[in-house]
Amino acid sequence: MDKGWGLAIDSDSLGFFSTFPKERMFPSADTGEAARVTVAEVDFFRRDVNDRKLTDKEGPRSRSMVIKKEDDLNGGSDDLRPACPDVNTGLHLETANSRSDRLTVASESFSSDLEDKRAQRELAQMQIELRRMNLENQKLRETLGQVSSSYSTLQMHMTMLLQRQQFPRQSDGSEDLQDRAEKAVPRQFLDLVPVSSAQGGDISNSMSEERTQELSGSPLNAAEVESGPKDGSVDVRESKRIRLETLDSEAPKLDSSRGVVDRAAATEATMRKARVSVRARSEAPMISDGCQWRKYGQKMAKGNPCPRAYYRCTMAVNCPVRKQVQRCAEDRSILITTYEGNHNHPLPPAAIAMASTTSSAVNMLLSGSMSSSDGVTNPNLLARAIPPFSSSIATISASAPFPTVTLDLTQQAPSPLQMQRQPQHQLPVSSAATAGHPTSISTHDLPHILRQGVMYNQSKFSGLQMSHDSVSPCVLGKNGPQPPSCFADTVSAATAAITSDPNFTAALAAAISSIISGKDPANNGPANSCGANPKSSNSNNSSVPSSGKANSFSGH
DNA sequence: CGAATTTGACCGGCGC
DNA sequence: GCGCCGGTCAAATTCG
């Protein structure tokens, strides 16, 4: 067998190059037999001219690859490395009778296949880049998991803490739970998060319950939640219900924790009142958010020819969550869904996304209300609430009777009508954010994702003095999307689906749930002309069968 | 027939 | 106090 060629790979991209075969067969020019071209050694170390392995301190890294003849690898001095620092690894090598012939043939091969090699080189580079991005993606996922875990643990802890403040002594073993929960909370989180986010309602409580059950070694399922604890242990939600009842009737008596209680009561009330409105362009009568809803009313709202439908969550008996569905008066292809309250039950994966979004948005409001005193706030709440790279406009407004966060996902810049509804000054974020003025920011980074902005209205924030500090820097980045370190980026996987799917919530829920369970997005059912008759919606809203009747609400 | 929806009535907050 | 309006209730109706 003629001497083959050895390949020394000098690269730090080992993940890719390690896939190279160690031996490759090439036809021999003189014998017609297949000649074995041996990759004598895939050299994962950088080497100097004497083939001595270099350490990191001895020289810069290089991605170049060199081809070495086998005899060179075996100790020869004819190192081709300087002549071909960036040789393609396609290895169109042929064996020949003489060394010069081999070199000539190789040279001709190089020139004739130049384009091919260039393409292969680009391919190799792209594969390298792909590898790198995959690794980065994996790291981001790990980060997401860690942050999510910390977030859940934190909410659990704060819920526990509030309950402990409400019931300093619990004699039925729940203290063990609390202690364990506290021990599970990283210390650094305890000092960072405002009380409001921990009081953030039942979505967090649901997560907390699950976490608590994990800690206690008894997984919590929906049936157990509905039926309550079967042993002597304290159901967390039961504790909360007791706490809420106490807030209504006995809170003033608890002098030692009165401040906390009053604050909790105010927060609970705010949580009940604060709303998250989602504007999505959808022909479906109701966006699917993974929850089950029952319609309990329909009214004609002033200034809108389309009726407003009222739904309440039916996934639990006393779930306080309600939502209103109404088509936009100006553009009836836009569906406005307003959520209020927080679920008091575990949510299916498909519902977690929207519930988390709305809850985070509300928490963000509350965080803003809490942050004005100390200037410390949770910078990621709004980012959590708003898919970061989506073509959305997030409007924080207190001009309505209740503080409302509006997520505009209609893939439009603020319309003139919207701007009219936001009569306050719209200033560039660079000045407005620092001056505490309402702000409007646009971002332009992703090609098919248009804009995300925040219009920020604090003119009439009764009881919710939103500090400009509370607006997430992740959102208020001057140039739009922020580095991947921001938790908001973890939701960015949903944004592509959001922008391509007119049914935002279905896309959002599906995309985020895909992270959890790997499901595909679902689509909505057929269109309904105007307003809130949900009966033609898809099965994701199992409680809203189709009747096909026209809306015939007569008002009152 | 039970569940869900429809829709007129009712209630409470708010402004005048 | 009155009217307006948003929100909810609950009886009637419809649906599966």
Side-chain angles (χ1 to χ4, degrees):
Chain A
M1 186 191 77
D2 197 6
K3 286 184 179 178
W5 293 75
L7 175 66
I9 297 176
D10 188 4
S11 171
D12 51 359
S13 301
L14 305 184
F16 167 67
F17 291 110
S18 61
T19 62
F20 270 58
K22 198 164 185 178
E23 285 188 347
R24 297 183 65 173
M25 305 300 289
F26 293 93
S28 174
D30 54 341
T31 66
E33 297 175 358
R36 176 176 298 169
V37 176
T38 302
V39 178
E41 180 182 6
V42 178
D43 192 349
F44 292 150
F45 299 91
R46 290 168 291 127
R47 295 170 182 269
D48 61 11
V49 293
N50 296 321
D51 234 16
R52 183 176 62 89
K53 291 178 181 177
L54 290 176
T55 65
D56 284 339
K57 296 178 180 178
E58 288 178 305
R61 286 180 175 268
S62 169
R63 291 178 182 271
S64 64
M65 293 168 286
V66 296
I67 295 177
K68 299 181 71 175
K69 292 176 294 183
E70 195 170 45
D71 52 354
D72 294 332
L73 289 173
N74 291 333
S77 60
D78 193 4
D79 195 343
L80 298 179
R81 185 178 313 173
C84 46
D86 200 11
V87 171
N88 187 277
T89 60
L91 290 180
H92 293 273
L93 303 177
E94 296 179 358
T95 58
N97 289 331
S98 68
R99 175 176 294 181
S100 59
D101 286 343
R102 288 200 302 269
L103 292 174
T104 303
V105 170
S107 176
E108 289 174 353
S109 177
F110 270 95
S111 59
S112 64
D113 297 335
L114 194 58
E115 273 191 34
D116 188 29
K117 291 177 179 179
R118 184 177 302 143
Q120 289 182 348
R121 189 184 312 151
E122 291 175 359
L123 177 63
Q125 290 173 349
M126 291 177 66
Q127 287 177 318
I128 294 171
E129 186 68 13
L130 185 62
R131 289 268 176 177
R132 189 184 62 78
M133 293 180 72
N134 282 337
L135 287 174
E136 188 174 324
N137 188 27
Q138 187 171 353
K139 288 178 182 176
L140 287 174
R141 284 174 181 259
E142 291 173 359
T143 303
L144 167 63
Q146 292 170 358
V147 172
S148 298
S149 176
S150 299
Y151 182 63
S152 301
T153 306
L154 173 66
Q155 289 186 318
M156 172 193 64
H157 167 76
M158 293 305 293
T159 302
M160 292 286 192
L161 198 61
L162 287 173
Q163 289 168 358
R164 171 174 291 186
Q165 287 169 341
Q166 183 67 32
F167 302 102
R169 301 296 302 173
Q170 297 206 20
S171 58
D172 47 17
S174 62
E175 267 190 341
D176 292 340
L177 260 179
Q178 295 175 1
D179 291 341
R180 273 183 284 178
E182 287 184 0
K183 289 172 184 175
V185 177
R187 185 68 198 173
Q188 64 268 26
F189 290 106
L190 299 182
D191 302 324
L192 291 179
V193 174
V195 174
S196 57
S197 63
Q199 295 168 334
D202 297 314
I203 291 175
S204 58
N205 285 346
S206 300
M207 300 169 68
S208 302
E209 290 169 40
E210 292 166 5
R211 179 69 174 177
T212 303
Q213 292 295 325
E214 289 176 14
L215 289 171
S216 61
S218 58
L220 184 69
N221 58 36
E224 289 173 342
V225 170
E226 293 305 317
S227 59
K230 293 177 176 57
D231 53 16
S233 64
V234 168
D235 180 80
V236 176
R237 186 157 43 80
E238 181 65 22
S239 298
K240 178 174 182 178
R241 187 158 63 240
I242 294 171
R243 179 168 64 90
L244 293 179
E245 291 168 355
T246 305
L247 289 177
D248 291 336
S249 58
E250 300 179 13
K253 301 175 185 176
L254 300 173
D255 292 336
S256 61
S257 59
R258 179 167 185 169
V260 175
V261 170
D262 290 345
R263 197 176 191 183
T267 303
E268 290 289 346
T270 305
M271 288 297 293
R272 176 69 177 87
K273 296 299 181 183
R275 294 174 175 178
V276 177
S277 180
V278 177
R279 292 168 55 92
R281 199 175 293 279
S282 174
E283 297 302 318
M286 188 169 75
I287 57 179
S288 59
D289 45 27
C291 285
Q292 293 181 342
W293 303 93
R294 177 170 180 161
K295 191 175 184 178
Y296 66 89
Q298 181 167 298
K299 293 278 289 188
M300 294 300 296
K302 186 181 180 182
N304 193 330
C306 297
R308 175 185 300 164
Y310 299 90
Y311 298 87
R312 61 165 56 99
C313 177
T314 59
M315 296 191 74
V317 177
N318 292 319
C319 181
V321 175
R322 286 172 166 77
K323 77 172 180 181
Q324 302 172 6
V325 179
Q326 186 174 34
R327 294 212 167 269
C328 179
E330 292 83 10
D331 185 353
R332 296 186 182 184
S333 66
I334 296 176
L335 200 61
I336 304 172
T337 306
T338 304
Y339 295 87
E340 177 184 323
N342 289 278
H343 297 278
N344 63 354
H345 53 85
L347 294 169
I352 289 175
M354 175 56 74
S356 299
T357 299
T358 55
S359 177
S360 297
V362 172
N363 277 333
M364 180 268 302
L365 279 175
L366 298 178
S367 170
S369 69
M370 298 299 179
S371 65
S372 58
S373 60
D374 54 13
V376 176
T377 180
N378 187 340
N380 287 330
L381 284 172
L382 183 57
R384 285 182 194 157
I386 302 165
F389 301 144
S390 65
S391 54
S392 63
I393 302 296
T395 305
I396 306 169
S397 174
S399 56
F402 311 111
T404 303
V405 178
T406 300
L407 307 180
D408 192 336
L409 298 141
T410 56
Q411 301 193 11
Q412 290 178 347
S415 67
L417 287 169
Q418 283 178 300
M419 301 304 282
Q420 287 171 8
R421 284 195 295 266
Q422 301 288 333
Q424 287 74 22
H425 303 292
Q426 304 290 330
L427 299 177
V429 61
S430 56
S431 60
T434 54
H437 287 285
T439 61
S440 179
I441 308 99
S442 293
T443 61
H444 312 276
D445 279 30
L446 295 186
H448 65 289
I449 296 174
L450 304 179
R451 291 170 200 87
Q452 169 183 334
V454 172
M455 282 179 290
Y456 180 32
N457 180 349
Q458 60 181 158
S459 59
K460 294 168 67 176
F461 242 72
S462 57
L464 283 171
Q465 292 301 320
M466 174 77 78
S467 164
H468 63 268
D469 296 331
S470 65
V471 178
S472 167
C474 293
V475 177
L476 292 182
K478 193 173 183 178
N479 294 319
Q482 296 298 303
S485 59
C486 178
F487 178 83
D489 293 4
T490 62
V491 197
S492 64
T495 55
I498 290 167
T499 52
S500 61
D501 191 334
N503 188 336
F504 153 67
T505 51
L508 177 63
I512 295 182
S513 63
S514 67
I515 297 174
I516 302 171
S517 60
K519 291 182 178 180
D520 290 328
N523 293 323
N524 259 333
N528 193 1
S529 61
C530 172
N533 190 340
K535 288 199 162 188
S536 60
S537 68
N538 65 2
S539 60
N540 208 1
N541 294 286
S542 59
S543 66
V544 282
S546 174
S547 69
K549 288 173 58 177
N551 290 313
S552 57
F553 183 75
S554 58
H556 66 277

